[in-house]
């Protein structure tokens, strides 16, 4: 290959760009594609949904901000939603319109993605990150509040954020966004620019979403709290009532079910760790797996059932390790191995 | 008492040189030895000089191998004292009075020195118990123990017999209950006969043979009987003061007017005499005017099924065809009377016991029956399925006891043991549902009182006047309901310790310097739950043992 020839016909425009999901505007370089672009671009018959022509882009820019936002998010409004003046324009046959546009400006035939991150898996999230990173870049020098004076902000959960963007976003990725938001939130509010405030407000938890949370489990008519737990392949269900510390597992005494003292202790660990051993009676049913799985599944089930009685114990239970389900399962066997890791002994040919 | 011959394979003793004729021995000695000449060193010396040295070194390092029987002795060794443990100054000794005193419930009492060696001889201490950790053997007095001591007092006065089969989970303290019973009996100057392990009677570890004359055939175990006689003599030193009171038909000429201990020792020294002497001794001990008798057996499930012994037709022999097991069951069932009063206690075992469906079903049936009889069928405490019955509208079944399973072939010889147990009809008017509002009314038909926590108020009421006094005739009248008049076998369920008892026991452990934890309510509660509701065996394991 020879040295690449200089790109001709490229124009870089500094324009006001509408972000797909954010009501604030930002200055971004917009590249308009020229005829020197590869052939397949020119021959694109049907433009992808999120692509807009330069013509459309300029038209969009002239619309009021709400309309532009809607356009960016949902594309053109259906006819019945448009005002009659626009509707009459829309009714023109598209081919003709296109041809007119082409006549006026040959570059209008070129299509550009509305978002520079169009080709990423999660363009909206990438846009958001770029946006927030820009805000941080521009405003990071502003004075910060001391930690204790920072206004309290409850961000959207990862699930809510995914729902909001309409993209599947792993919680680990959202941690990065939250850390940026937290940093933005530390800027002294009096000095904060409107765009920062808007970005923060957009990411706050929706109060309506909270109401739709499932109701916390309650004690039933017999005074029982119910919980389920799993570990390895074992599944335990536990009923906990106020009592004197008696334990029945599969209708048997705990000493009959768990021969090892260690297993008994790990099954009753939630009660031990919180000092509630003599206050509740436990009735548990465990299935599947072996004794270790039984014991630790029972622990989680008992912890959840106790939380029904005393929800305030949750942090203590979490610290005691009784909330999180241990995700470890048996490692799969691999081809060429005797077991998961074991390899056959080396044999001389 | 191992015999020289291998009785199991019925082989004759191995021939030794001692058994050879004199001429043969001379031949062996006089056989000429031939030396062949060679200049080379013998192969064995050449090859193995280095190896021999190495082997010798190895032997030196390994030390002497244990002598025959040494390992078993180590395994069976019972250590009852630990000089490193702290002496507990507040520890009280067990006396004949305080064991039946309800105010001593939940108190840890030590066994008096004078009976410790006797209890050891009775083999009531087990290797799996943690006696070796403490300065002196001590046990916590449970309400069931107090109850038993009271019943024994009553049995002595009223010449009745306490018959109990102890059931309960593994480590719940059944053997400890027996130990307590033996200690009580010794303090009360009873005569004690113990079978420390039912398994030993049936697992083909002693010799056996048919008894002469008796038909159908009955088997005796001479070596075991001799050991039993030895145990009886060591356990009961008072036999040395009792003289024979009647004539017995004994094979060899036994002089008249021997003391009972000397009589027994004749049987110990000559196993051939052991069986008839045991029978004679029992006749003497049940003669009028003798002390009450306590007979205990641990591992009752073992002696109620087929043994590992074979008959001459190579069929497995039933345990009840052996003299000693059938002797025990005859006293337990009430077939043989104890005219001087006494107690017969049999403890089930759950650590090594065989499955015995007959025994299990019959015992659970009896237990249910007795619980309903002595309690209130409409009280969920006495009748655990009551909430279910009420919820399903079947309260008319509340006082029904389940029948034995008609589709199981039960062992009739085992059922026979319980046939004398008086089981008054459950639907008798005394326990009809209409009467249920006043269940604690004592009635003659319901002579058995339920024990444990529910009976405690009555117990205290009965005992309040006679706390420290030795039992009197007057007191006996008030206790008439304690011991059943008939030969009813009580099914006694041994539960775990109460939290209060557990706390008392743990405080003793802590004072001995063995338990290094603060004995707080929380600690006791935790250990109590982890030990399956205060099972003493499990408590020892969680608090005193290695944790694994």
């Amino acid at each position: 290959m020879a040295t690449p020839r200089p790109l001709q016909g490229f124009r870089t425009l500094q324009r006001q760009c509408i972000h797909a999901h954010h009501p604030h505007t930002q200055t971004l370089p917009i590249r308009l594609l020229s005829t020197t672009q590869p052939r397949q671009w020119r021959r694109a018959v049907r433009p992808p949904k999120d692509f807009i022509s330069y013509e459309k882009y300029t038209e969009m820019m002239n619309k009021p901000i709400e309309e532009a936002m809607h356009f960016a998010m949902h594309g053109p409004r259906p006819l019945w939603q448009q005002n009659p003046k626009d509707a009459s324009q829309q009714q023109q046959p598209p081919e003709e319109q296109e041809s007119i546009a082409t006549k006026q400006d040959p570059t209008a035939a070129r299509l550009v993605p509305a978002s520079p991150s169009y080709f990423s898996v999660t363009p909206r999230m990438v846009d958001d990150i770029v946006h927030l990173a820009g805000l941080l870049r521009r405003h990071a020098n502003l004075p910060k509040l001391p930690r204790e004076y920072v206004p309290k902000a409850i961000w959207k959960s990862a699930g809510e954020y995914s729902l909001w963007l309409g993209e599947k976003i792993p919680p680990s990725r959202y941690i990065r966004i939250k850390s940026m938001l937290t940093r933005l939130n530390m800027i002294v509010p009096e000095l904060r620019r409107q765009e920062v405030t808007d970005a923060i407000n957009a990411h706050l938890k929706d109060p309506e979403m909270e109401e739709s949370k499932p109701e916390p489990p309650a004690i039933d008519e017999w005074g029982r709290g119910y919980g389920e737990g799993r570990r390895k392949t074992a599944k335990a269900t536990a009923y906990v009532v106020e009592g004197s510390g008696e334990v029945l597992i599969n209708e048997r005494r705990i000493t009959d079910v768990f021969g090892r003292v260690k297993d008994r202790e790990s099954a009753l660990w939630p009660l031990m760790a919180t000092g509630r051993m003599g206050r509740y009676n436990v009735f548990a049913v465990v299935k599947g797996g072996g004794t270790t799985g039984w014991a630790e599944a029972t622990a989680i089930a008992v912890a959840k059932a106790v939380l029904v009685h005393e929800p305030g114990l949750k942090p203590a239970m979490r610290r005691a390790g009784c909330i999180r389900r241990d995700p470890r399962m048996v490692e799969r066997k691999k081809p060429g191995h005797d077991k998961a890791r074991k390899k056959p002994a080396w044999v001389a040919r | 008492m191992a015999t020289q011959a291998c009785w199991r394979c019925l082989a004759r003793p191995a021939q030794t040189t001692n058994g050879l004729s004199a001429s043969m021995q001379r031949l062996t000695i006089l056989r000429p030895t031939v030396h062949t000449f060679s200049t080379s060193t013998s192969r064995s010396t050449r090859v193995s000089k280095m190896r021999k040295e190495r082997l010798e070194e190895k032997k030196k390092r390994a030390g002497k191998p244990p002598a025959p029987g040494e390992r078993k002795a180590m395994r069976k060794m019972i250590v009852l004292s630990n000089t490193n443990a702290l002496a507990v100054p507040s520890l009280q000794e067990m006396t004949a009075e305080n064991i039946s005193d309800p105010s001593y419930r939940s108190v840890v009492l030590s066994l008096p020195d004078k009976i410790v060696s006797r209890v050891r001889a009775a083999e009531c201490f087990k290797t799996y118990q943690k006696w070796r950790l403490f300065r002196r053997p001590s046990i916590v007095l449970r309400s069931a123990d107090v109850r038993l001591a009271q019943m024994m007092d009553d049995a002595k006065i009223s010449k009745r017999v306490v018959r109990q089969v102890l059931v309960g989970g593994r480590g719940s303290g059944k053997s400890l209950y027996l130990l307590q019973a033996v200690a009580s009996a010794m303090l009360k100057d009873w005569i004690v006969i113990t079978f420390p392990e039912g398994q030993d009677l049936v697992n083909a570890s002693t010799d056996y043979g048919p008894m002469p004359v008796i038909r159908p055939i009955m088997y005796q175990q001479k070596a075991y009987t001799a050991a039993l006689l030895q145990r009886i003599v060591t356990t009961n030193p008072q036999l040395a003061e009792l003289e024979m009171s009647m004539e017995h038909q004994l094979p060899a000429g036994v002089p008249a007017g021997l003391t009972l201990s000397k009589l027994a020792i004749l049987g110990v020294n000559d196993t051939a005499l052991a069986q008839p002497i045991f029978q004679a001794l029992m006749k003497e001990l049940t003669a009028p005017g003798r002390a009450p008798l306590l007979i205990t057996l641990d591992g009752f499930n073992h002696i109620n099924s087929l043994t590992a012994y074979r008959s001459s037709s190579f069929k497995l022999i039933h345990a009840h065809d052996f003299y000693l097991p059938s002797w025990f069951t005859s006293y337990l069932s009430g077939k043989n009377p104890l005219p001087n009063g006494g107690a017969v206690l049999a403890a089930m075992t759950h650590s090594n016991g065989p499955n015995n469906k007959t025994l299990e079903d019959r015992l659970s049936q009896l237990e249910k029956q007795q619980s309903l009889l002595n309690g209130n069928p409409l009280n969920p405490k006495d009748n655990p399925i009551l909430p279910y019955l009420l919820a399903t509208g079947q309260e008319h079944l509340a006082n029904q006891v389940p029948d034995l399973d008609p589709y199981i072939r039960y062992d009739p010889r085992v059922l026979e043991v319980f046939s004398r147990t008086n089981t008054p009809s459950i639907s008798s008017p005394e326990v009809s549902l209409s009467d249920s509002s006043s269940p604690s009314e004592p009635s003659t038909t319901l002579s058995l009182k339920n024990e444990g926590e529910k009976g405690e108020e009555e117990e205290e009421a009965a005992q309040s006047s006679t706390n420290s006094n030795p039992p009197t005739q007057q007191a006996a009248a008030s206790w008439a309901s304690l011991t059943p008049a008939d030969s009813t076998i009580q099914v006694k369920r041994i539960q775990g310790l109460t939290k209060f008892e557990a706390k008392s026991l743990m405080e003793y452990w802590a004072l001995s310097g063995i338990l290094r934890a603060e004995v707080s309510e929380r600690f006791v509660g935790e250990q109590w739950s982890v030990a399956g509701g205060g099972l003493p065996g499990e408590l020892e394991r969680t608090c005193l043992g290695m944790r694994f």
Side-chain angles (χ1 to χ4, degrees), chain B residues 470-523:
Chain B
T472 57
Q473 290 293 338
Q474 194 189 359
S478 71
W479 294 346
S481 63
L482 284 182
T483 321
D486 48 35
S487 47
T488 294
I489 299 173
Q490 272 176 280
V491 180
K492 172 88 185 125
R493 183 160 287 278
I494 307 288
Q495 306 278 17
L497 301 176
T498 62
K499 280 191 185 163
F500 195 65
E501 287 162 354
K503 189 174 183 213
S504 164
L505 189 60
M506 284 186 198
E507 274 164 1
Y508 163 70
W509 290 345
L511 285 174
S512 297
I514 308 297
L515 178 64
R516 311 291 291 273
E518 192 195 342
V519 183
S520 58
E521 290 289 330
R522 179 175 171 171
F523 179 76

Side-chain angles (χ1 to χ4, degrees), chain A residues 8 34 36 74 79 84 89 101 122-123 126 138 177-178 204 208 216 241 247 265 282 331 343:
Chain A
Q8 291 179 355
S34 78
T36 52
H74 306 290
L79 286 182
Q89 285 177 358
T122 50
V126 174
R138 271 172 277 135
I177 295 171
K178 276 208 287 193
L204 286 179
E208 285 171 19
V241 290
V247 183
E265 281 180 348
V282 176
E331 188 175 337
K343 282 186 176 175

